[in-house]
PDB file of all heavy atoms in Angstrom:
ATOM      1  N   GLY A 210       1.750   5.282   0.204  1.00  0.00           N
ATOM      2  CA  GLY A 210       1.233   6.418   0.938  1.00  0.00           C
ATOM      3  C   GLY A 210       0.963   7.585   0.021  1.00  0.00           C
ATOM      4  O   GLY A 210       1.032   7.489  -1.203  1.00  0.00           O
ATOM      5  N   GLN A 225       1.934  31.600 -11.757  1.00  0.00           N
ATOM      6  CA  GLN A 225       0.985  30.555 -11.428  1.00  0.00           C
ATOM      7  C   GLN A 225       1.766  29.295 -11.047  1.00  0.00           C
ATOM      8  O   GLN A 225       2.888  29.087 -11.501  1.00  0.00           O
ATOM      9  CB  GLN A 225       0.094  30.276 -12.650  1.00  0.00           C
ATOM     10  CG  GLN A 225      -0.947  29.187 -12.465  1.00  0.00           C
ATOM     11  CD  GLN A 225      -0.472  27.820 -12.925  1.00  0.00           C
ATOM     12  OE1 GLN A 225       0.515  27.701 -13.656  1.00  0.00           O
ATOM     13  NE2 GLN A 225      -1.136  26.783 -12.471  1.00  0.00           N
ATOM     14  N   SER A 234      -3.793   4.612  -2.115  1.00  0.00           N
ATOM     15  CA  SER A 234      -4.609   3.739  -2.943  1.00  0.00           C
ATOM     16  C   SER A 234      -5.965   3.465  -2.301  1.00  0.00           C
ATOM     17  O   SER A 234      -6.051   3.117  -1.125  1.00  0.00           O
ATOM     18  CB  SER A 234      -3.860   2.417  -3.167  1.00  0.00           C
ATOM     19  OG  SER A 234      -4.638   1.542  -3.963  1.00  0.00           O
ATOM     20  N   GLY A 235      -7.018   3.651  -3.096  1.00  0.00           N
ATOM     21  CA  GLY A 235      -8.365   3.369  -2.613  1.00  0.00           C
ATOM     22  C   GLY A 235      -9.057   4.532  -1.947  1.00  0.00           C
ATOM     23  O   GLY A 235     -10.260   4.480  -1.686  1.00  0.00           O
ATOM     24  N   HIS A 236      -8.317   5.631  -1.679  1.00  0.00           N
ATOM     25  CA  HIS A 236      -8.924   6.792  -1.030  1.00  0.00           C
ATOM     26  C   HIS A 236      -9.594   7.674  -2.075  1.00  0.00           C
ATOM     27  O   HIS A 236      -8.965   8.113  -3.023  1.00  0.00           O
ATOM     28  CB  HIS A 236      -7.865   7.588  -0.275  1.00  0.00           C
ATOM     29  CG  HIS A 236      -7.423   6.937   0.985  1.00  0.00           C
ATOM     30  ND1 HIS A 236      -6.549   7.544   1.865  1.00  0.00           N
ATOM     31  CD2 HIS A 236      -7.733   5.734   1.530  1.00  0.00           C
ATOM     32  CE1 HIS A 236      -6.349   6.734   2.898  1.00  0.00           C
ATOM     33  NE2 HIS A 236      -7.061   5.632   2.705  1.00  0.00           N
ATOM     34  N   GLN A 244       0.026  25.518   5.185  1.00  0.00           N
ATOM     35  CA  GLN A 244       0.639  25.687   6.496  1.00  0.00           C
ATOM     36  C   GLN A 244       1.740  26.738   6.419  1.00  0.00           C
ATOM     37  O   GLN A 244       2.827  26.467   5.906  1.00  0.00           O
ATOM     38  CB  GLN A 244       1.188  24.366   7.026  1.00  0.00           C
ATOM     39  CG  GLN A 244       1.687  24.466   8.457  1.00  0.00           C
ATOM     40  CD  GLN A 244       2.088  23.126   9.042  1.00  0.00           C
ATOM     41  OE1 GLN A 244       2.387  22.179   8.316  1.00  0.00           O
ATOM     42  NE2 GLN A 244       2.090  23.039  10.370  1.00  0.00           N
ATOM     43  N   GLN A 251      -4.100  25.089   7.500  1.00  0.00           N
ATOM     44  CA  GLN A 251      -5.366  25.760   7.217  1.00  0.00           C
ATOM     45  C   GLN A 251      -6.043  25.073   6.034  1.00  0.00           C
ATOM     46  O   GLN A 251      -5.423  24.905   4.980  1.00  0.00           O
ATOM     47  CB  GLN A 251      -5.114  27.240   6.878  1.00  0.00           C
ATOM     48  CG  GLN A 251      -4.468  28.026   8.007  1.00  0.00           C
ATOM     49  CD  GLN A 251      -5.359  28.183   9.203  1.00  0.00           C
ATOM     50  OE1 GLN A 251      -6.534  28.524   9.071  1.00  0.00           O
ATOM     51  NE2 GLN A 251      -4.825  27.930  10.387  1.00  0.00           N
ATOM     52  N   PHE A 252      -7.306  24.705   6.219  1.00  0.00           N
ATOM     53  CA  PHE A 252      -8.053  23.984   5.193  1.00  0.00           C
ATOM     54  C   PHE A 252      -8.296  24.863   3.963  1.00  0.00           C
ATOM     55  O   PHE A 252      -8.837  25.970   4.085  1.00  0.00           O
ATOM     56  CB  PHE A 252      -9.378  23.528   5.794  1.00  0.00           C
ATOM     57  CG  PHE A 252     -10.306  22.836   4.854  1.00  0.00           C
ATOM     58  CD1 PHE A 252     -10.052  21.531   4.432  1.00  0.00           C
ATOM     59  CD2 PHE A 252     -11.451  23.458   4.402  1.00  0.00           C
ATOM     60  CE1 PHE A 252     -10.924  20.883   3.577  1.00  0.00           C
ATOM     61  CE2 PHE A 252     -12.336  22.817   3.548  1.00  0.00           C
ATOM     62  CZ  PHE A 252     -12.069  21.530   3.135  1.00  0.00           C
ATOM     63  N   GLU A 259     -14.010  13.514  -7.495  1.00  0.00           N
ATOM     64  CA  GLU A 259     -13.706  14.495  -8.522  1.00  0.00           C
ATOM     65  C   GLU A 259     -14.529  15.778  -8.451  1.00  0.00           C
ATOM     66  O   GLU A 259     -14.449  16.609  -9.363  1.00  0.00           O
ATOM     67  CB  GLU A 259     -13.841  13.866  -9.920  1.00  0.00           C
ATOM     68  CG  GLU A 259     -12.953  12.636 -10.094  1.00  0.00           C
ATOM     69  CD  GLU A 259     -13.301  11.834 -11.336  1.00  0.00           C
ATOM     70  OE1 GLU A 259     -13.422  12.442 -12.413  1.00  0.00           O
ATOM     71  OE2 GLU A 259     -13.455  10.610 -11.221  1.00  0.00           O
ATOM     72  N   GLU A 261     -15.546  19.217  -5.974  1.00  0.00           N
ATOM     73  CA  GLU A 261     -15.230  19.964  -4.764  1.00  0.00           C
ATOM     74  C   GLU A 261     -16.435  19.882  -3.835  1.00  0.00           C
ATOM     75  O   GLU A 261     -17.565  20.203  -4.212  1.00  0.00           O
ATOM     76  CB  GLU A 261     -14.921  21.429  -5.096  1.00  0.00           C
ATOM     77  CG  GLU A 261     -14.510  22.233  -3.871  1.00  0.00           C
ATOM     78  CD  GLU A 261     -14.230  23.696  -4.197  1.00  0.00           C
ATOM     79  OE1 GLU A 261     -13.330  23.967  -5.000  1.00  0.00           O
ATOM     80  OE2 GLU A 261     -14.932  24.557  -3.624  1.00  0.00           O
ATOM     81  N   ASN A 262     -16.233  19.492  -2.584  1.00  0.00           N
ATOM     82  CA  ASN A 262     -17.354  19.392  -1.645  1.00  0.00           C
ATOM     83  C   ASN A 262     -17.062  20.065  -0.309  1.00  0.00           C
ATOM     84  O   ASN A 262     -17.608  19.702   0.722  1.00  0.00           O
ATOM     85  CB  ASN A 262     -17.786  17.926  -1.445  1.00  0.00           C
ATOM     86  CG  ASN A 262     -16.851  17.157  -0.547  1.00  0.00           C
ATOM     87  OD1 ASN A 262     -15.690  17.510  -0.431  1.00  0.00           O
ATOM     88  ND2 ASN A 262     -17.361  16.123   0.100  1.00  0.00           N
ATOM     89  N   GLY A 265     -12.430  26.207   2.316  1.00  0.00           N
ATOM     90  CA  GLY A 265     -12.099  27.114   3.402  1.00  0.00           C
ATOM     91  C   GLY A 265     -12.094  28.551   2.918  1.00  0.00           C
ATOM     92  O   GLY A 265     -12.550  28.862   1.825  1.00  0.00           O
ATOM     93  N   GLY A 273      -8.623  23.562  -7.676  1.00  0.00           N
ATOM     94  CA  GLY A 273      -8.112  22.199  -7.649  1.00  0.00           C
ATOM     95  C   GLY A 273      -8.786  21.293  -8.647  1.00  0.00           C
ATOM     96  O   GLY A 273      -9.788  21.653  -9.283  1.00  0.00           O
ATOM     97  N   GLN A 275      -9.394  16.816  -9.122  1.00  0.00           N
ATOM     98  CA  GLN A 275      -9.135  15.449  -8.687  1.00  0.00           C
ATOM     99  C   GLN A 275      -9.423  14.551  -9.877  1.00  0.00           C
ATOM    100  O   GLN A 275     -10.413  14.738 -10.598  1.00  0.00           O
ATOM    101  CB  GLN A 275     -10.023  15.056  -7.511  1.00  0.00           C
ATOM    102  CG  GLN A 275      -9.701  13.682  -6.939  1.00  0.00           C
ATOM    103  CD  GLN A 275     -10.673  13.253  -5.852  1.00  0.00           C
ATOM    104  OE1 GLN A 275     -11.820  13.682  -5.846  1.00  0.00           O
ATOM    105  NE2 GLN A 275     -10.224  12.402  -4.947  1.00  0.00           N
ATOM    106  N   ASN A 278      -7.794   8.510 -11.171  1.00  0.00           N
ATOM    107  CA  ASN A 278      -6.721   7.631 -10.687  1.00  0.00           C
ATOM    108  C   ASN A 278      -6.232   8.032  -9.294  1.00  0.00           C
ATOM    109  O   ASN A 278      -5.155   7.620  -8.873  1.00  0.00           O
ATOM    110  CB  ASN A 278      -5.547   7.636 -11.669  1.00  0.00           C
ATOM    111  CG  ASN A 278      -4.870   8.991 -11.758  1.00  0.00           C
ATOM    112  OD1 ASN A 278      -5.367   9.988 -11.207  1.00  0.00           O
ATOM    113  ND2 ASN A 278      -3.750   9.052 -12.437  1.00  0.00           N
ATOM    114  N   TYR A 279      -7.010   8.822  -8.586  1.00  0.00           N
ATOM    115  CA  TYR A 279      -6.730   9.264  -7.213  1.00  0.00           C
ATOM    116  C   TYR A 279      -5.689  10.367  -7.137  1.00  0.00           C
ATOM    117  O   TYR A 279      -5.360  10.805  -6.043  1.00  0.00           O
ATOM    118  CB  TYR A 279      -6.310   8.094  -6.312  1.00  0.00           C
ATOM    119  CG  TYR A 279      -7.274   6.937  -6.299  1.00  0.00           C
ATOM    120  CD1 TYR A 279      -6.850   5.666  -6.635  1.00  0.00           C
ATOM    121  CD2 TYR A 279      -8.599   7.125  -5.943  1.00  0.00           C
ATOM    122  CE1 TYR A 279      -7.731   4.593  -6.629  1.00  0.00           C
ATOM    123  CE2 TYR A 279      -9.482   6.070  -5.936  1.00  0.00           C
ATOM    124  CZ  TYR A 279      -9.056   4.806  -6.273  1.00  0.00           C
ATOM    125  OH  TYR A 279      -9.928   3.756  -6.262  1.00  0.00           O
ATOM    126  N   SER A 280      -5.173  10.825  -8.252  1.00  0.00           N
ATOM    127  CA  SER A 280      -4.250  11.954  -8.189  1.00  0.00           C
ATOM    128  C   SER A 280      -5.048  13.259  -8.155  1.00  0.00           C
ATOM    129  O   SER A 280      -6.237  13.283  -8.499  1.00  0.00           O
ATOM    130  CB  SER A 280      -3.298  11.945  -9.378  1.00  0.00           C
ATOM    131  OG  SER A 280      -4.020  12.181 -10.572  1.00  0.00           O
ATOM    132  N   LEU A 283      -3.399  21.099  -7.010  1.00  0.00           N
ATOM    133  CA  LEU A 283      -3.761  22.396  -6.447  1.00  0.00           C
ATOM    134  C   LEU A 283      -3.128  23.441  -7.346  1.00  0.00           C
ATOM    135  O   LEU A 283      -1.926  23.395  -7.605  1.00  0.00           O
ATOM    136  CB  LEU A 283      -3.220  22.527  -5.024  1.00  0.00           C
ATOM    137  CG  LEU A 283      -3.188  23.932  -4.427  1.00  0.00           C
ATOM    138  CD1 LEU A 283      -4.596  24.479  -4.253  1.00  0.00           C
ATOM    139  CD2 LEU A 283      -2.456  23.933  -3.077  1.00  0.00           C
ATOM    140  N   VAL A 285      -2.633  27.571  -8.035  1.00  0.00           N
ATOM    141  CA  VAL A 285      -2.724  28.910  -7.467  1.00  0.00           C
ATOM    142  C   VAL A 285      -2.301  29.902  -8.536  1.00  0.00           C
ATOM    143  O   VAL A 285      -1.194  29.819  -9.064  1.00  0.00           O
ATOM    144  CB  VAL A 285      -1.838  29.079  -6.219  1.00  0.00           C
ATOM    145  CG1 VAL A 285      -2.115  30.429  -5.563  1.00  0.00           C
ATOM    146  CG2 VAL A 285      -2.064  27.951  -5.231  1.00  0.00           C
ATOM    147  N   ALA A 287      -1.876  34.009  -9.940  1.00  0.00           N
ATOM    148  CA  ALA A 287      -1.522  35.353  -9.455  1.00  0.00           C
ATOM    149  C   ALA A 287      -0.898  35.291  -8.071  1.00  0.00           C
ATOM    150  O   ALA A 287      -1.401  35.892  -7.107  1.00  0.00           O
ATOM    151  CB  ALA A 287      -2.772  36.238  -9.458  1.00  0.00           C
ATOM    152  N   LEU A 290       3.047  37.229  -2.201  1.00  0.00           N
ATOM    153  CA  LEU A 290       4.108  36.876  -1.258  1.00  0.00           C
ATOM    154  C   LEU A 290       3.577  36.018  -0.110  1.00  0.00           C
ATOM    155  O   LEU A 290       4.258  35.093   0.354  1.00  0.00           O
ATOM    156  CB  LEU A 290       4.764  38.141  -0.706  1.00  0.00           C
ATOM    157  CG  LEU A 290       5.456  39.048  -1.728  1.00  0.00           C
ATOM    158  CD1 LEU A 290       6.051  40.269  -1.039  1.00  0.00           C
ATOM    159  CD2 LEU A 290       6.551  38.295  -2.483  1.00  0.00           C
ATOM    160  N   SER A 300      -5.257  12.484   2.068  1.00  0.00           N
ATOM    161  CA  SER A 300      -6.318  11.659   1.496  1.00  0.00           C
ATOM    162  C   SER A 300      -7.026  10.892   2.606  1.00  0.00           C
ATOM    163  O   SER A 300      -6.488  10.677   3.691  1.00  0.00           O
ATOM    164  CB  SER A 300      -5.764  10.700   0.443  1.00  0.00           C
ATOM    165  OG  SER A 300      -5.006   9.654   1.034  1.00  0.00           O
ATOM    166  N   THR A 305     -16.577  12.533   4.822  1.00  0.00           N
ATOM    167  CA  THR A 305     -16.849  13.375   5.983  1.00  0.00           C
ATOM    168  C   THR A 305     -15.749  13.176   7.001  1.00  0.00           C
ATOM    169  O   THR A 305     -15.072  12.161   7.011  1.00  0.00           O
ATOM    170  CB  THR A 305     -18.199  13.030   6.638  1.00  0.00           C
ATOM    171  OG1 THR A 305     -18.157  11.670   7.084  1.00  0.00           O
ATOM    172  CG2 THR A 305     -19.324  13.197   5.651  1.00  0.00           C
ATOM    173  N   THR A 307     -16.023  13.096  10.319  1.00  0.00           N
ATOM    174  CA  THR A 307     -16.394  12.679  11.662  1.00  0.00           C
ATOM    175  C   THR A 307     -15.697  11.397  12.100  1.00  0.00           C
ATOM    176  O   THR A 307     -15.494  11.178  13.272  1.00  0.00           O
ATOM    177  CB  THR A 307     -17.910  12.474  11.785  1.00  0.00           C
ATOM    178  OG1 THR A 307     -18.328  11.591  10.747  1.00  0.00           O
ATOM    179  CG2 THR A 307     -18.649  13.788  11.660  1.00  0.00           C
ATOM    180  N   GLY A 309     -13.251   9.854   9.689  1.00  0.00           N
ATOM    181  CA  GLY A 309     -12.175   9.535   8.765  1.00  0.00           C
ATOM    182  C   GLY A 309     -10.832  10.030   9.226  1.00  0.00           C
ATOM    183  O   GLY A 309     -10.686  11.146   9.701  1.00  0.00           O
ATOM    184  N   GLU A 310      -9.846   9.203   9.102  1.00  0.00           N
ATOM    185  CA  GLU A 310      -8.468   9.583   9.390  1.00  0.00           C
ATOM    186  C   GLU A 310      -7.862  10.178   8.128  1.00  0.00           C
ATOM    187  O   GLU A 310      -8.027   9.650   7.036  1.00  0.00           O
ATOM    188  CB  GLU A 310      -7.676   8.359   9.815  1.00  0.00           C
ATOM    189  CG  GLU A 310      -6.193   8.608  10.044  1.00  0.00           C
ATOM    190  CD  GLU A 310      -5.468   7.356  10.456  1.00  0.00           C
ATOM    191  OE1 GLU A 310      -6.135   6.330  10.684  1.00  0.00           O
ATOM    192  OE2 GLU A 310      -4.226   7.400  10.565  1.00  0.00           O
ATOM    193  N   PHE A 313      -1.547  12.206   5.443  1.00  0.00           N
ATOM    194  CA  PHE A 313      -0.877  13.368   4.872  1.00  0.00           C
ATOM    195  C   PHE A 313       0.342  12.988   4.048  1.00  0.00           C
ATOM    196  O   PHE A 313       1.044  12.024   4.340  1.00  0.00           O
ATOM    197  CB  PHE A 313      -0.425  14.317   5.980  1.00  0.00           C
ATOM    198  CG  PHE A 313      -1.540  15.145   6.557  1.00  0.00           C
ATOM    199  CD1 PHE A 313      -2.310  14.675   7.598  1.00  0.00           C
ATOM    200  CD2 PHE A 313      -1.809  16.404   6.031  1.00  0.00           C
ATOM    201  CE1 PHE A 313      -3.341  15.438   8.128  1.00  0.00           C
ATOM    202  CE2 PHE A 313      -2.836  17.181   6.552  1.00  0.00           C
ATOM    203  CZ  PHE A 313      -3.604  16.689   7.601  1.00  0.00           C
ATOM    204  N   GLY A 314       0.594  13.813   3.028  1.00  0.00           N
ATOM    205  CA  GLY A 314       1.857  13.770   2.336  1.00  0.00           C
ATOM    206  C   GLY A 314       2.882  14.604   3.079  1.00  0.00           C
ATOM    207  O   GLY A 314       2.576  15.204   4.125  1.00  0.00           O
ATOM    208  N   LEU A 319       6.423  26.029  -1.016  1.00  0.00           N
ATOM    209  CA  LEU A 319       6.400  27.077  -2.039  1.00  0.00           C
ATOM    210  C   LEU A 319       6.964  28.363  -1.461  1.00  0.00           C
ATOM    211  O   LEU A 319       6.534  28.809  -0.399  1.00  0.00           O
ATOM    212  CB  LEU A 319       4.964  27.303  -2.519  1.00  0.00           C
ATOM    213  CG  LEU A 319       4.724  28.515  -3.431  1.00  0.00           C
ATOM    214  CD1 LEU A 319       5.453  28.351  -4.756  1.00  0.00           C
ATOM    215  CD2 LEU A 319       3.233  28.736  -3.641  1.00  0.00           C
TER     216      LEU A 319
END
Side-chain angles (χ1 to χ4, degrees):
Chain A
Q225 179 266 344
S234 180
H236 286 185
Q244 187 174 22
Q251 299 293 313
F252 177 74
E259 303 167 49
E261 183 181 299
N262 77 335
Q275 185 185 27
N278 65 351
Y279 306 123
S280 67
L283 165 65
V285 188
L290 298 180
S300 72
T305 61
T307 53
E310 176 180 353
F313 283 87
L319 171 65

